Amino acid sequence: MAKFEYAPAPESRAVVDLAPSYGLFINGEFTESQGGSAFKTVNPATEEVLSEVTDASAADVDRAVAAARRAYNGVWGRMSGADRGKYLFRIARILQERAREFAVLETLDNGKPIKESRDVDVPLAAAHFFYHAGWADKLEYAGLGTNPRAHGVVGQVIPWNFPLLMLAWKIAPALATGNTVVLKPAETTPLTALLFADVVQQADLPPGVVNIVTGAGGTGQAIVDHPDIDKLAFTGSTGVGKMIARSIAGTRKKATLELGGKAANIIFEDAAIDQAVEGIVNGIFFNQGHVCCAGSRLLVQENIAEDVERRLKRRLQTLRVGDPLDKNTDVGAINSKAQLSRITELTDAGEAEGAERWDNGCELPAKGFWFRPTVFTGVSQGHRIAQEEIFGPVLSVLTFRTPQEAVAKANNTPYGLSAGVWTEKGSRILWMADQLRAGVVWANTFNKFDPTSPFGGYKESGYGREGGRHGLSAYVTTESNG
Amino acid sequence: MSAPSVDPTERARDLLGVSRLTNSALTSWLHGLPGVDQVGCEGRAAGLGTRSIKTTSKAWAIDLAISMIDLTTLEGADTKGKVRGLAAKALHPDVTDPSTPSPAAVCVYGDMVATAREALGDAPINVAAVATAFPSGRASMPVKLADTRDAIKAGADEIDMVIDRGAFLSGDYLRVFGEIAQVSEACVREDGTRARLKVIMETGELVTYDNVRRASWLSMLAGGDFIKTSTGKVSPAATLPVTLIMLEAVRDWHDLTGEMVGVKPAGGIRTSKDAIKFLVTVSEIAGDDWLDPFWFRFGASSLLNDLLLQRQRMRIGAYSGPDYITDDSPSLY
């Protein structure tokens, strides 16, 4: 017997030009901060410092909002939809042209495998701009209400798990509907947003239409609290989402919140079993499990649980964990030290509470932040690992006996972002989709995204939708709804 | 190899838990296998196709792929001269580099077995013969068995049989089972040893992945040593998703019975790049145990030359061109 060892196939990082430090992108150009400090952003796979970025102050946010307001009043808010569409198409095409640069930079800053940044993040980001470019001159016909018009200045705060893709989810619909934006990327992954500023310049977007301010929580709070912001869009943790909701309560500000999740991935006895196993892997180990809609709770019908667990564990032994720039890597690095300790804490709790822990035993690099693909079996609803979002490559396996029980267990969570159903029975898929309190229900697949399909949650997973016509409606106000 | 100690019907009764092997028992068993989701299966195969294999692992994979080839000529126009040319190619795949491995077997029609055997001499290269009214399989059972015995008598080490796709598609699984079991019995030589049996399912005519999965299980249950995709006469022939289903089947069969069955995709695999995708799939689906010419084969005629071209390129750092590869075998004329 021979063993197939794949030689390393690293993507070159020569396509990326990193500056030693970055300012803030305000009013169409990079500017120095006023009173802000600097912090470092590191490559989570190596702990190498990539660059230094600005922790923007409230004064910086104020400048950015003022620039956005000027651009809204002076140019963007008055521009015809067809013309806005042209800019968006241009951005989409530039993203495609510079896809490799974006993919490599995303992988360097985030730690995700190049095959995901290359095949998922960047193409989808471009697709969101293309899709919304198409809507820009057709808003009257989108069924949103009479005379849809922009809110004005939108403040956007995005997370570290899909830095570029979340930027596209936020900026594309905002611009298509005529809003101008002030966007803050996450403090651990600011680099692709800063590279996007370059795209904004290349596309000749009028100054102030897109402003990018980097920073941590304080910068985000300054955006949320700024009196001249008309609408907020946030993706991130439920805890921060609640703070934002409290901050804006009683103001005129509109908001959409995309928060945490603890999705159930439900496997029925008649499922196509090998494809279901792939779906489980894709559901929780995609992007190291740093996915708010990850299928982190596996619900397996009890009579096939043993078989599924055996197949799953065998499959996980072929997952390749390591250098994210290697084209053969399936699972990359955990995004930050803080996130790694949170995952460690929750998995320790899982063990302490009596669930059975298994990991694939793969070798991990000596430097950087890493966690082995891990499965907990014998998990019940009462365990913390079944209730709390782990946001890492950790799967909890629970069992059920009847469809009703599957629904009850799937819905028994404070979250409601997504769910997966695996069965060969079409009628059961429809019945389940109807019963599950989740914004997205995938049937015989998982983690599939498309700009035309609305995405968002129930309960503590937030409110509002992104993508599709529903996503557009969050960025406009109409005569019917004021 | 010696004759199997267990009678396939007896073992099938045992595995199915029935006292009598009937068509309905086979039907419930085969239809009780988990289904295959087409989208998911093709998605997985596409993912495996994107593995990046280079440098040392590519060199290793190329040599392994060469050693797994059943170098094949199956034409009405085959002559002794052509078969001798094929055998010579198998003995010395690359005249510029004696370290080049030989393919596993030469695969010919039954009437060419003796010629191939003679041309190969004592070299450790098997002669495989297609039998059972290849490629259509449309003949009476006595004819199919006689076809098989002829090839065995002429010295075939391996028999590639075709299943009756008509019987399979009409749901007559018992008939397909019986034919495979009988041909398997006909593979026993006078001295009690037996030739290995490859069961060609002609997956292009079975069309659905569910059918491929069922035919794979049925072939293994009936005693096939190998499951093989195609005759090479029907399109589509060997595709990556179909091979993936078959690899899952042999893996699961091994889990169930402890026995290993080989897999042979045949037809349509022409480039090194394609061959390497198949090897990646073998490794990640069935496991590295199958990365051996005894358990995995490529049915191909023109693949060898592309592998040799790549092998030379890796050795000398530049493409030599087709005139630096001997061309005795392919059916391209």
Side-chain angles (χ1 to χ4, degrees):
Chain A
M1 178 199 117
K3 180 140 177 59
F4 207 156
E5 308 270 12
Y6 304 161
E11 177 72 71
S12 164
R13 54 187 287 180
V15 287
V16 171
D17 277 327
L18 271 175
S21 70
Y22 289 91
L24 305 164
F25 187 69
I26 294 173
N27 204 35
E29 54 194 21
F30 277 98
T31 67
E32 293 295 314
S33 171
Q34 294 174 355
S37 52
F39 65 96
K40 293 174 168 56
T41 183
V42 301
N43 178 346
T46 59
E47 297 177 55
E48 163 206 8
V49 174
L50 293 169
S51 185
E52 212 172 72
V53 294
T54 308
D55 191 10
S57 66
D60 295 325
V61 169
D62 196 44
R63 276 193 301 143
V65 174
R69 178 61 64 190
R70 274 196 308 278
Y72 175 71
N73 289 336
V75 200
W76 199 251
R78 304 161 171 223
M79 193 183 281
S80 74
D83 285 340
R84 287 199 307 270
K86 286 179 197 165
Y87 282 104
L88 287 168
F89 276 124
R90 206 181 288 165
I91 292 173
R93 287 194 302 268
I94 296 171
L95 279 177
Q96 287 185 322
E97 283 162 15
R98 301 177 67 175
R100 200 154 153 246
E101 194 182 347
F102 271 99
V104 171
L105 184 59
E106 192 78 317
T107 287
L108 284 174
D109 203 20
N110 172 278
K112 64 174 67 199
I114 186 78
K115 79 171 185 190
E116 289 177 8
S117 52
R118 179 194 67 195
D119 298 347
V120 180
D121 294 58
V122 178
L124 265 177
H128 273 269
F129 279 99
F130 276 119
Y131 173 76
H132 286 98
W135 272 124
D137 60 350
K138 303 176 194 71
L139 296 172
E140 292 279 355
Y141 314 102
L144 306 173
T146 328
N147 188 24
R149 53 192 195 281
H151 290 296
V153 176
V154 181
Q156 305 180 318
V157 177
I158 58 169
W160 47 260
N161 57 342
F162 291 94
L164 180 69
L165 184 57
M166 290 301 108
L167 173 148
W169 280 31
K170 295 284 182 288
I171 291 184
L175 298 194
T177 46
N179 298 278
T180 55
V181 306
V182 175
L183 176 132
K184 185 193 90 68
E187 61 266 37
T188 59
T189 55
L191 294 180
T192 41
L194 293 167
L195 184 62
F196 183 78
D198 199 35
V199 172
V200 168
Q201 286 179 330
Q202 197 185 338
D204 264 332
L205 214 64
V209 173
V210 171
N211 303 277
I212 292 168
V213 289
T214 52
T219 311
Q221 191 68 49
I223 292 173
V224 171
D225 291 341
H226 198 286
D228 204 24
I229 293 269
D230 299 301
K231 179 203 153 55
L232 282 162
F234 171 74
T235 295
S237 71
T238 294
V240 176
K242 285 179 179 175
M243 272 164 52
I244 292 174
R246 273 194 290 270
S247 301
I248 63 169
T251 72
R252 63 183 176 80
K253 288 176 193 168
K254 305 268 191 297
T256 42
L257 303 175
E258 299 289 354
L259 310 176
K262 192 71 188 173
N265 202 0
I266 305 162
I267 318 288
F268 283 98
E269 57 183 355
D270 66 340
I273 205 107
D274 288 309
Q275 287 75 50
V277 168
E278 278 313 301
I280 297 165
V281 170
N282 185 38
I284 183 64
F285 300 107
F286 176 65
N287 200 31
Q288 297 77 243
H290 300 334
V291 185
C292 50
C293 53
S296 53
R297 281 188 301 150
L298 179 64
L299 294 177
V300 193
Q301 196 153 2
E302 202 165 310
N303 55 348
I304 56 161
E306 216 173 292
D307 190 29
V308 169
E309 279 169 24
R310 191 173 49 85
R311 286 170 192 269
L312 181 63
K313 287 175 180 174
R314 173 163 56 196
R315 173 69 176 89
L316 293 194
Q317 276 158 346
T318 65
L319 276 185
R320 305 171 72 89
V321 182
D323 179 9
L325 275 177
D326 189 327
K327 291 167 199 153
N328 287 324
T329 292
D330 299 316
V331 178
I334 301 302
N335 181 250
S336 64
K337 198 171 201 166
Q339 186 56 26
L340 180 59
S341 30
R342 170 155 176 83
I343 297 169
T344 310
E345 189 235 313
L346 274 164
T347 47
D348 288 349
E351 238 174 323
E353 287 170 8
E356 193 177 324
R357 180 184 187 144
W358 179 94
D359 69 48
N360 76 348
C362 66
E363 228 175 280
L364 296 179
K367 288 207 89 173
F369 315 126
W370 301 92
F371 200 86
R372 288 194 186 91
T374 299
V375 176
F376 277 99
T377 50
V379 180
S380 52
Q381 292 289 87
H383 290 149
R384 270 181 81 192
I385 50 169
Q387 293 297 326
E388 291 181 36
E389 188 179 32
I390 299 176
F391 225 65
V394 181
L395 180 69
S396 299
V397 184
L398 297 91
T399 59
F400 68 89
R401 295 159 301 176
T402 64
Q404 286 76 6
E405 188 182 350
V407 167
K409 282 187 165 161
N411 287 341
N412 180 216
T413 158
Y415 296 110
L417 197 49
S418 68
V421 178
W422 298 79
T423 171
E424 291 278 274
K425 211 183 269 284
S427 57
R428 184 184 286 150
I429 289 172
L430 297 175
W431 184 82
M432 290 293 291
D434 208 32
Q435 305 289 313
L436 291 166
R437 307 316 284 164
V440 186
V441 179
W442 284 292
N444 291 329
T445 189
F446 209 94
N447 273 345
K448 287 278 181 290
F449 304 97
D450 190 295
T452 66
S453 177
F455 181 91
Y458 280 71
K459 297 188 275 187
E460 293 207 7
S461 290
Y463 44 76
R465 294 290 180 267
E466 292 184 290
R469 286 192 306 114
H470 303 77
L472 279 178
S473 71
Y475 283 96
V476 296
T477 167
T478 62
E479 274 167 20
S480 23
N481 68 14
Chain B
M1 292 191 78
S2 59
S5 49
V6 193
D7 168 50
T9 307
E10 209 173 289
R11 187 180 60 177
R13 281 202 302 260
D14 214 41
L15 281 171
L16 271 61
V18 292
S19 56
R20 204 161 59 85
L21 193 62
T22 60
N23 198 48
S24 73
L26 275 174
T27 304
S28 344
W29 187 70
L30 292 172
H31 289 246
L33 296 167
V36 180
D37 184 80
Q38 183 183 341
V39 176
C41 166
E42 288 172 0
R44 173 82 166 118
L48 288 164
T50 63
R51 288 295 196 198
S52 179
I53 305 300
K54 40 171 72 169
T55 62
T56 49
S57 50
K58 185 176 175 185
W60 179 83
I62 284 174
D63 275 10
L64 182 64
I66 292 173
S67 74
M68 288 172 159
I69 288 180
D70 281 4
L71 197 58
T72 301
T73 183
L74 294 170
E75 286 172 16
D78 281 348
T79 58
K80 288 185 176 182
K82 176 140 198 261
V83 170
R84 283 192 204 104
L86 192 74
K89 176 81 175 180
L91 290 167
H92 306 288
D94 186 347
V95 289
T96 68
D97 183 359
S99 75
T100 311
S102 279
V106 262
C107 182
V108 293
Y109 272 115
D111 61 334
M112 288 294 172
V113 168
T115 309
R117 184 71 276 165
E118 192 192 335
L120 287 170
D122 295 334
I125 299 171
N126 286 343
V127 176
V130 293
T132 68
F134 182 93
S136 71
R138 305 226 76 108
S140 70
M141 207 48 211
V143 172
K144 290 183 184 178
L145 291 174
D147 195 10
T148 308
R149 287 194 195 101
D150 271 359
I152 294 283
K153 212 169 278 174
D157 303 293
E158 300 168 5
I159 295 293
D160 290 34
M161 74 169 285
V162 288
I163 66 164
D164 183 338
R165 282 86 76 192
F168 183 90
L169 290 170
S170 64
D172 195 352
Y173 301 129
L174 189 61
R175 175 164 170 172
V176 178
F177 177 95
E179 291 197 358
I180 297 170
Q182 284 180 66
V183 174
S184 173
E185 210 179 301
C187 285
V188 178
R189 304 188 188 91
E190 279 174 2
D191 64 0
T193 60
R194 66 183 283 273
R196 289 176 88 204
L197 177 64
K198 308 198 195 89
V199 182
I200 304 173
M201 303 184 293
E202 197 65 289
T203 51
E205 290 183 351
L206 300 184
V207 181
T208 69
Y209 294 129
D210 284 326
N211 275 345
V212 172
R213 185 171 205 136
R214 286 173 194 145
S216 299
W217 281 82
L218 182 59
S219 304
M220 294 187 292
L221 188 71
D225 299 298
F226 258 90
I227 48 177
K228 174 175 168 184
T229 58
S230 330
T231 59
K233 308 284 184 193
V234 169
S235 185
T239 67
L240 199 55
V242 155
T243 309
L244 184 148
I245 299 292
M246 290 161 59
L247 287 163
E248 285 174 349
V250 296
R251 177 199 67 196
D252 291 347
W253 176 259
H254 178 256
D255 282 352
L256 182 71
T257 65
E259 292 165 21
M260 277 174 79
V261 170
V263 175
K264 177 178 172 186
I269 305 165
R270 293 191 179 86
T271 65
S272 306
K273 208 171 180 177
D274 278 345
I276 290 171
K277 287 178 187 176
F278 279 83
L279 294 183
V280 166
T281 307
V282 172
S283 168
E284 297 207 22
I285 298 292
D288 288 339
D289 286 353
W290 269 266
L291 281 179
D292 186 307
F294 198 79
W295 298 119
F296 193 80
R297 295 280 178 84
F298 290 107
S301 53
S302 55
L303 171 63
L304 178 58
N305 273 1
D306 191 64
L307 287 164
L308 294 175
L309 206 64
Q310 293 295 332
R311 199 174 185 279
Q312 287 187 354
R313 191 198 69 85
M314 295 201 85
R315 198 176 79 227
I316 61 182
Y319 279 107
S320 50
D323 289 345
Y324 293 83
I325 300 285
T326 59
D327 198 2
D328 225 341
S329 58
S331 308
L332 299 172
Y333 304 109

